[in-house]
Each structure stands twice: as C-alpha cells, then as structure tokens.
Amino acid sequence: MHTVIVTGASRGLGRAVVHELNRRGAAVVATARSESALAALEDELDNVVTVVGDIGSDSTRREVIETALRRDGRIDALVNNAAVLEPIARSADAEAGPWSDHLEINVVAPVHLTALALPYLRASGGRVINVSSGAATRPLAGWGAYCTAKAALKMATEVLATEEPDITAISLRPGVVDTAMQATIRSDGRKVMGAAGHDRFVRLHEDGELLDPALPGAAIAALALHAPKSLSGGFVPWDAPEVRALL
Ligand SMILES: NC(=O)c1ccc[n+]([C@@H]2O[C@H](COP(=O)([O-])OP(=O)(O)OC[C@H]3O[C@@H](n4cnc5c(N)ncnc54)[C@H](OP(=O)(O)O)[C@@H]3O)[C@@H](O)[C@H]2O)c1
C-alpha cells in the first residue's frame, strides 16, 4: 500500500485529495491545524492518520514524517497543499511579520517537508506535488505575498526536479476552486485588490463557475500515485491531457 502525506487536509482541496487517495487504496497522513476536522476525517475513512499542527513549525513537519514512517516505513508521495492567502495588502503597506509568516507557510514549509521526505521518496521512486496557482506567473494587485510565494515554490519545484532524477516533482495548477480561500477573496479582497481584479472572482462565484474541489482533488491524487517522470519540473494544469489520462 502506498503512503501519501497531504498538508492542508482539513478542508477544501486538501480534504478532497485525501478522499480520492483513500478511494484509490492509499494510506494517508493528513495534517492541518483544525483538530476537529482532522478527527472527522479519521472517523470517516480507514487508513488515514492525522497530525494536528502548524505546518509553519519545524516540529510539526518532523512529526508528519515520523508518523508516515511509523505506519509502514515508507513515503511514496508528498502533496504540499497547505497555504494561506493573507496578507492581502498592497506592496506599499507590506509589513515584515505577516510576510515572514506567509513565506514560512507557503514556501519554507513545503521545501523543508520535501527535504525531510526525500530519502524515502528516492527509495520509493516517489512524487512531490506542490499545489501552485496561476498567481505564480500572473501578478495580482494586493496579492504580493501570495504571488511571490507561489512563484518561489514553482522555481523550487523546478530546481528539485533538476537535482533529483529518482523522483517526480510537479507544480499543479488547480484552477479556481470553490473553497474557503475563494470566500476570503470575495469578502476581504475588494478594497485592496481594486474593483476590476475583485469582480472576476465574484462573477465566477455568481455564475457557478468555481470548480468543485473533488475535480482538481482527483487530479492531484492521481498525480501523487501515478504521475509519469515526463511531467517532472512541470507547471501542470489540473485538466491537462496527461493528467486526464490518469483519471
Ligand atoms: N481555491 C482556489 O481557487 C485556489 C486556486 C489556486 C491555488 N489554490 C491553492 O490550493 C491549495 C488549497 O487551497 P484551498 O483553496 O483548499 O484553501 P483553504 O480552503 O483555505 O484550505 C487551506 C488548507 O491549508 C491549511 N493551512 C493553512 N495554514 C496552515 C498552517 N499554518 N499550518 C497547517 N495547515 C495550514 C488549512 O487548514 P487549517 O486552517 O486547519 O490549518 C486548510 O486545510 C493552496 O495551496 C492554494 O494556494 C487554491
């Protein structure tokens, strides 16, 4: 049985990834801060163990790896999905503390968790799926921290793929997904993002065009278990033909 680590598993996309991995017969180590949501996941699904903690903390990251290894002594894939959008702020209003916290969660955590998992991923010929965003390549007013972090994570994935021929490392673009992060954009984004940038997200919601998390969630789970080496280093849309072929 494959063992897969999923961060940000308490809701949204991460939770959908855990469900699909479970359906496909993988064992999952699921982590996030929300204790009750993780307890519900463990109750609902067999072969899911959880670690409650802040992924921005070194000790949580080490506990996640130790928990995976205690299960079956192996790690087959790591899905770095946990992320925050905040601070939503213009560059002129950037503050050191919120930026540091953001980069710790959105960049340092996935990079460090990958390093901790790497000896086991090399042994299993495993996979790292870093959940990315169009924001990695497209600037959006008010999203300085998020765009910068996703761009950094995209490059970190490319470097990893260059350095590690025995594993497959991918940046996955999940589309615009109906999760709490989108609700935050609609409720808190307008003043800072400006009307034009904000309207697009409001319209997508009003027109029912946000994706059900189960769709990109299924793509991420399939890639975690079966992504071909040819995708390593790629910036891959959730609905790319190579991904659909795995569904
Ligand atoms: N929604 C979209 O349209 C969209 C588009 C492009 C990319 N993405 C990316 O998709 C991924 C999932 O986003 P989502 O939309 O599902 O967002 P979400 O509903 O806000 O979920 C974020 C997840 O990350 C966890 N998390 C946040 N900060 C954490 C921390 N410090 N320590 C541990 N866990 C933490 C949250 O759990 P706790 O709060 O319980 O800790 C939650 O499980 C993110 O990488 C996001 O950037 C989303």
Side-chain angles (χ1 to χ4, degrees):
M1 185 182 274
H2 284 52
T3 300
V4 183
I5 295 168
V6 181
T7 72
S10 60
R11 61 173 185 264
L13 196 49
R15 189 172 182 281
V17 173
V18 174
H19 274 265
E20 179 63 15
L21 286 167
N22 182 264
R23 197 187 68 76
R24 287 175 172 260
V28 180
V29 178
T31 185
R33 291 165 302 182
S34 305
E35 194 169 353
S36 59
L38 292 188
L41 257 188
E42 273 193 16
D43 285 349
E44 250 173 275
L45 305 175
D46 291 334
N47 290 318
V48 174
V49 292
T50 61
V51 175
V52 178
D54 185 336
I55 205 67
S57 134
D58 182 89
S59 62
T60 301
R61 300 193 286 258
R62 291 182 190 279
E63 194 186 339
V64 167
I65 299 296
E66 281 158 20
T67 304
L69 294 176
R70 263 200 309 276
R71 218 209 140 266
D72 205 16
R74 60 183 295 147
I75 301 173
D76 295 279
L78 167 61
V79 178
N80 283 310
N81 166 76
V84 291
L85 181 63
E86 298 87 351
I88 306 175
R90 293 269 171 166
S91 304
D93 300 318
E95 291 179 287
W99 262 76
S100 290
D101 292 346
H102 182 103
L103 293 176
E104 184 75 35
I105 295 164
N106 286 21
V107 182
V108 177
V111 167
H112 184 219
L113 200 53
T114 300
L116 294 174
L118 208 41
Y120 312 98
L121 292 169
R122 284 187 193 126
S124 63
R127 300 174 175 87
V128 177
I129 312 299
N130 287 326
V131 179
S132 190
S133 164
T137 57
R138 190 159 59 95
L140 278 152
W143 288 22
Y146 186 78
C147 291
T148 301
K150 290 298 186 187
L153 186 59
K154 176 177 178 289
M155 180 51 77
T157 312
E158 289 173 34
V159 172
L160 179 67
T162 303
E163 292 172 346
E164 298 290 338
D166 292 339
I167 70 156
T168 302
I170 293 170
S171 293
L172 186 281
R173 295 175 58 179
V176 188
V177 194
D178 194 4
T179 67
M181 193 176 277
Q182 283 295 320
T184 302
I185 295 167
R186 291 193 301 276
S187 62
D188 301 354
R190 189 165 191 88
K191 193 161 161 237
V192 176
M193 292 171 68
H198 187 254
D199 279 349
R200 172 172 169 251
F201 292 100
V202 172
R203 252 198 325 272
L204 285 171
H205 179 246
E206 283 173 359
D207 295 348
E209 285 178 20
L210 296 179
L211 291 170
D212 183 324
L215 296 172
I220 292 168
L223 285 169
L225 296 176
H226 303 297
K229 276 258 167 59
S230 56
L231 291 181
S232 203
F235 185 50
V236 180
W238 75 276
D239 57 352
E242 301 93 321
V243 182
R244 273 196 253 128
L246 303 175
L247 294 174

